[in-house]
Amino acid sequence: MIHIIFHAKIKNKDLHLKIKKPARLVSRWMKHKMMAQQGLFPSQHTFHIPVMGLAFTIDSPVKVARFGISSVVSIVGDGLVEDMRKHYSAMYDIRFDPILEKEVDFRARRITAYLNLLQQIVQSQMKILVHEAFDEGNEICKYFELLPESAEASPLYRRMKGLPDGVEKSELQAVLRQYLVPGAIDVNIMTKVDKTNYAASGEVLPAEDADAMAALRGFALSTLQSSVVFSAGMNPRLYSYCESFADFFPNADGQLSKKIILKVSDFRSAMIQGKFLAKKGLWVSEFRIESGLNCGGHAFASEGFLLAPILEEFHQKKDALTAELLEICNNALVLKGLHPFLASPEIKLSVQGGIGTHNEHEFLRENFAVDSCGWGSPFLLVPEATTVDADTLHQLETAKPQDYYLSNASPLGVPFNNLRNSSAEMERIQRIDKGRPGSPCYNKYLSFDTEFTEKPICLASREYQNLKIKQILALDLPSEEAKAKIEAVTEKECICNGLATPAYLNHELKPPHKLKSVSICPGPNLAYFSKTFSLREMVDHIYGRENHLNELPRPNFFVNEAVLYLDYFKKEIAKSIGNLTTKQANYLKKFKENLLAGMVYCKTLEEKMVRESNEYRAAFLAEIARLEQQLTAISLPEPL
């Protein structure tokens, strides 16, 4: 046995503790403590809450970080960020100095100020938590009760709870307090949301003032020690801008104050983007793999690649990729005169998209060695974790599977997961009925089109839709063709406003304009959850302590994804009929090949589903075989 002596402060009393622990536990505990002090210790949870919309996770760290749960904040909307800073400054009695749009670098400064405030609030929450008594109902107990059974602190907590009051129990409580580490406050930047901005005089502002660039600067200059998640593909200008900030480079100890997470859809993308960054001395600390279609928000469909074979490729090639990136990165760091990594830094793998049961969660961790699983859409039903207005929350509680659909509502031109009869959808239809399609464009985050104007405008704006409809009508097309083209134009909705509105409604804040409709973008997996949950209920569902699925028959999430891809493939074929080019024909051919190969691979997973019943495994095989048969029977059209 080894004796470990440390100093703790409990209930304002100094207490020197001498605790007997096995050498193995002492070594792990000391490493844990050292990393925690540096802000580097990872969450003991095996899930994270991904970014959702603009508002849905805008304040999730305030709600869940003190329980060790990591979440991701969208920092696209600087106006929303500023309003939330004002709200939480008042709530926590913290001085608020507004940052006005007329001020220099207002967008980045607003983001920095809000992120610093989130950290300040979470730190204050942790100071209270660490001194709480271990009494039933206190949040310090909730912290440990939410942890998975596999967490290092879980058996220590259970042991402590079983002890009578006395010295041994107090000593063990002091040890447990050292495990109180907050969840990460990570941020998301959608790389495509990087429009050029203009001064009041109409002059084009420098590239550094583009939306995503300013957002990155806001994060980089904050006091957070966390990660930025780059999503929606590669943005070379944005990635290169990371070089401007020392926190993205390792210190003498090989530690990073700011880390980079890349959300990717396949291994090839990870390799290309990882090498691009490594050549600049920038390390990718995590690849976050997301299903192309079985997810919320924008759906970036891959060329028929299913999640399971993508994960297998990462699992097989991760070590080789890490070694290759390390050599490239260290060479770049030496050329810059910076500290190279002395030891190989970690590259984590995480996965998200359609996960719905504890068994699926553990299957991913056990078979593909992923470090964390993202649980997004189900947390929309957890007010303790996310921000959803009451009316929309009720819609989600009562929604049917057919209410979740893949739409063309996004002005980005990327398929967008949507909810039928949302208030934003109803408002869009009402405007069309009144002969005023399109939305007022206040935020202009997605203003990229220059078909009719010199300065870019948004496809969902009233200005664009009026101009486009006039153009279509002037072509004197057959009525059905003209109607279809006009419907494609008016299907776009203002998601910039709609995805931010829930925060204003939920916190009873005055919105910056009159628009009050809500857009929401849940993944189709939410159809299997049908009530509001407490944080404890949802976490217990994730860790298999409870089951909160509704009564709908729910296939394995790999099956659900394959169904979505097969339906998508059929629609792609239908769209191509009558105007199929050789390029499109090759795309469809490759899509079918990849999808078929993915289904064949998925069948090999059945024997690894050791947590599932024989009946479940047989149904899984039968469903994949049925989908494989349907896909094989599809004949591809010939190009014109």
Side-chain angles (χ1 to χ4, degrees):
M1 303 291 285
I2 292 179
H3 292 74
I4 176 168
I5 302 174
F6 65 95
H7 185 78
K9 200 168 195 177
I10 304 176
K11 293 185 178 179
N12 298 318
K13 293 182 180 180
D14 290 338
L15 181 65
H16 291 276
L17 300 176
K18 185 176 182 181
I19 301 175
K20 294 181 179 181
K21 294 292 172 196
R24 180 172 56 85
L25 178 57
V26 170
S27 174
R28 292 206 315 268
W29 180 80
M30 290 297 291
K31 180 181 179 182
H32 175 124
K33 183 178 179 182
M34 179 183 69
M35 295 179 73
Q37 289 171 342
Q38 296 175 7
L40 300 170
F41 191 77
S43 171
Q44 296 181 77
H45 285 284
T46 59
F47 76 93
H48 61 272
I49 302 176
V51 68
M52 288 185 280
L54 299 182
F56 307 123
T57 56
I58 188 69
D59 53 352
S60 289
V62 176
K63 299 181 176 186
V64 303
R66 68 185 181 278
F67 299 115
I69 298 171
S70 297
S71 59
V72 186
V73 176
S74 171
I75 54 174
V76 167
D78 64 281
L80 173 61
V81 160
E82 179 73 351
D83 290 336
M84 293 301 292
R85 183 170 71 92
K86 181 179 180 180
H87 170 71
Y88 275 106
S89 293
M91 181 181 291
Y92 283 86
D93 196 22
I94 296 171
R95 176 175 171 174
F96 172 77
D97 295 316
I99 300 171
L100 305 178
E101 289 189 6
K102 64 183 180 181
E103 296 180 31
V104 175
D105 204 23
F106 73 91
R107 178 172 168 79
R109 288 174 54 218
R110 284 176 167 182
I111 292 167
T112 299
Y114 181 60
L115 296 179
N116 288 348
L117 176 66
L118 289 180
Q119 184 181 42
Q120 182 180 354
I121 291 172
V122 172
Q123 287 175 341
S124 68
Q125 291 172 337
M126 296 305 295
K127 286 179 181 178
I128 295 171
L129 192 68
V130 78
H131 291 114
E132 276 192 339
F134 280 88
D135 293 338
E136 195 68 34
N138 279 358
E139 288 195 338
I140 192 169
C141 294
K142 184 176 180 179
Y143 183 101
F144 292 103
E145 289 163 1
L146 289 177
L147 293 176
E149 301 303 309
S150 59
E152 189 174 294
S154 290
L156 299 181
Y157 178 75
R158 290 195 298 271
R159 179 184 168 195
M160 182 278 296
K161 291 289 286 183
L163 291 173
D165 291 342
V167 174
E168 185 180 359
K169 187 169 187 174
S170 295
E171 290 175 344
L172 195 49
Q173 287 177 350
V175 172
L176 285 168
R177 293 179 197 278
Q178 298 297 321
Y179 283 88
L180 294 171
V181 179
I185 305 173
D186 293 328
V187 306
N188 185 84
I189 297 178
M190 193 172 182
T191 59
K192 294 182 182 296
V193 184
D194 196 24
K195 70 170 175 60
T196 299
N197 286 312
Y198 298 81
S201 62
E203 180 185 357
V204 177
L205 292 174
E208 289 77 10
D209 289 315
D211 283 354
M213 301 280 278
L216 177 62
R217 181 165 62 256
F219 168 69
L221 297 178
S222 74
T223 55
L224 288 180
Q225 287 189 315
S226 61
S227 303
V228 57
V229 182
F230 288 129
S231 64
M234 185 169 171
N235 181 335
R237 181 177 73 174
L238 181 65
Y239 288 7
S240 299
Y241 193 40
C242 292
E243 292 182 272
S244 303
F245 307 101
D247 279 3
F248 285 107
F249 295 108
N251 60 20
D253 297 323
Q255 304 297 339
L256 296 163
S257 294
K258 300 283 194 301
K259 296 181 180 181
I260 295 171
I261 296 175
L262 293 183
K263 188 186 289 186
V264 294
S265 57
D266 56 52
F267 184 82
R268 180 176 177 274
S269 174
M271 181 174 60
I272 291 171
Q273 295 184 68
K275 286 182 178 180
F276 181 91
L277 289 161
K279 289 175 182 177
K280 300 178 182 300
L282 299 166
W283 185 253
V284 178
S285 296
E286 179 181 328
F287 289 111
R288 186 156 288 181
I289 307 149
E290 183 174 64
S291 170
L293 291 178
N294 198 14
C295 61
H298 287 90
F300 295 89
S302 66
E303 294 183 349
F305 292 108
L306 294 177
L307 184 62
I310 292 171
L311 288 171
E312 179 62 27
E313 186 172 12
F314 271 96
H315 184 42
Q316 295 295 329
K317 298 180 179 179
K318 177 188 171 183
D319 290 345
L321 178 62
T322 301
E324 185 175 6
L325 293 182
L326 179 61
E327 181 179 2
I328 296 171
C329 191
N330 271 347
N331 288 339
L333 290 169
V334 170
L335 289 174
K336 290 177 180 287
L338 299 174
H339 297 289
F341 291 103
L342 299 179
S344 180
E346 184 179 31
I347 292 182
K348 291 184 178 180
L349 294 181
S350 58
V351 60
Q352 57 199 41
I355 307 165
T357 70
H358 170 68
N359 285 355
E360 290 174 352
H361 180 94
E362 290 302 314
F363 182 89
L364 291 166
R365 297 182 64 242
E366 293 166 354
N367 289 279
F368 301 112
V370 299
D371 298 279
S372 179
C373 297
W375 284 68
S377 295
F379 272 101
L380 292 172
L381 292 169
V382 184
E384 287 181 68
T386 57
T387 296
V388 181
D389 63 285
D391 289 342
T392 305
L393 187 60
H394 177 67
Q395 280 187 295
L396 294 176
E397 288 178 312
T398 57
K400 306 301 181 187
Q402 60 269 26
D403 293 327
Y404 301 98
Y405 72 109
L406 196 60
S407 74
N408 293 310
S410 173
L412 277 178
V414 177
F416 183 73
N417 281 289
N418 218 332
L419 178 69
R420 297 189 198 279
N421 301 319
S422 68
S423 56
E425 173 67 5
M426 294 297 97
E427 185 176 64
R428 182 187 70 84
I429 294 172
Q430 289 169 6
R431 286 180 177 141
I432 295 170
D433 291 342
K434 292 178 180 179
R436 290 177 60 79
S439 171
C441 191
Y442 294 106
N443 298 316
K444 305 184 188 303
Y445 297 139
L446 302 180
S447 296
F448 299 116
D449 190 271
T450 56
E451 182 180 0
F452 302 107
T453 57
E454 183 177 347
K455 185 181 291 188
I457 57 176
C458 178
L459 297 183
S461 69
R462 183 168 295 157
E463 180 180 11
Y464 173 83
Q465 293 195 8
N466 283 339
L467 291 169
K468 191 65 178 178
I469 290 171
K470 287 179 181 178
Q471 182 192 67
I472 293 170
L473 293 175
L475 296 175
D476 198 25
L477 299 169
S479 59
E480 288 302 314
E481 185 178 352
K483 180 183 177 182
K485 288 184 178 294
I486 290 173
E487 286 179 350
V489 172
T490 58
E491 187 176 2
K492 308 301 181 190
E493 70 180 51
C494 179
I495 61 175
C496 295
N497 175 75
L499 293 176
T501 298
Y504 292 99
L505 296 176
N506 208 49
H507 294 298
E508 298 181 347
L509 305 178
K510 182 181 178 181
H513 41 69
K514 294 181 180 180
L515 300 181
K516 295 182 179 180
S517 62
V518 173
S519 301
I520 191 160
C521 48
N525 186 50
L526 195 54
Y528 303 103
F529 297 87
S530 298
K531 71 166 195 169
T532 299
F533 300 96
S534 69
L535 179 63
R536 186 186 296 270
E537 285 176 325
M538 184 55 68
V539 174
D540 283 348
H541 175 82
I542 292 171
Y543 291 142
R545 297 186 283 252
E546 295 179 8
N547 176 23
H548 290 298
L549 293 176
N550 58 29
E551 295 180 355
L552 288 175
R554 183 183 180 279
N556 179 277
F557 79 121
F558 287 137
V559 171
N560 284 335
E561 185 195 40
V563 169
L564 291 169
Y565 265 96
L566 183 57
D567 289 344
Y568 183 85
F569 180 58
K570 291 176 181 177
K571 290 175 183 177
E572 288 293 291
I573 292 175
K575 285 195 307 185
S576 71
I577 293 175
N579 58 358
L580 184 66
T581 64
T582 301
K583 182 179 180 180
Q584 290 171 322
N586 290 335
Y587 162 76
L588 293 174
K589 180 175 180 291
K590 193 66 178 175
F591 193 108
K592 182 177 180 179
E593 290 173 354
N594 292 336
L595 186 52
L596 187 59
M599 290 178 180
V600 171
Y601 171 78
C602 281
K603 289 192 293 186
T604 68
L605 299 178
E606 179 271 333
E607 63 183 21
K608 299 178 181 179
M609 295 180 176
V610 294
R611 294 173 177 269
E612 306 290 2
S613 66
N614 290 336
E615 182 182 12
Y616 180 98
R617 293 163 66 171
F620 171 80
L621 278 180
E623 283 297 301
I624 293 293
R626 180 181 64 83
L627 295 170
E628 182 184 7
Q629 186 178 21
Q630 287 184 21
L631 177 61
T632 303
I634 294 175
S635 298
L636 296 177
E638 294 294 330
L640 296 176

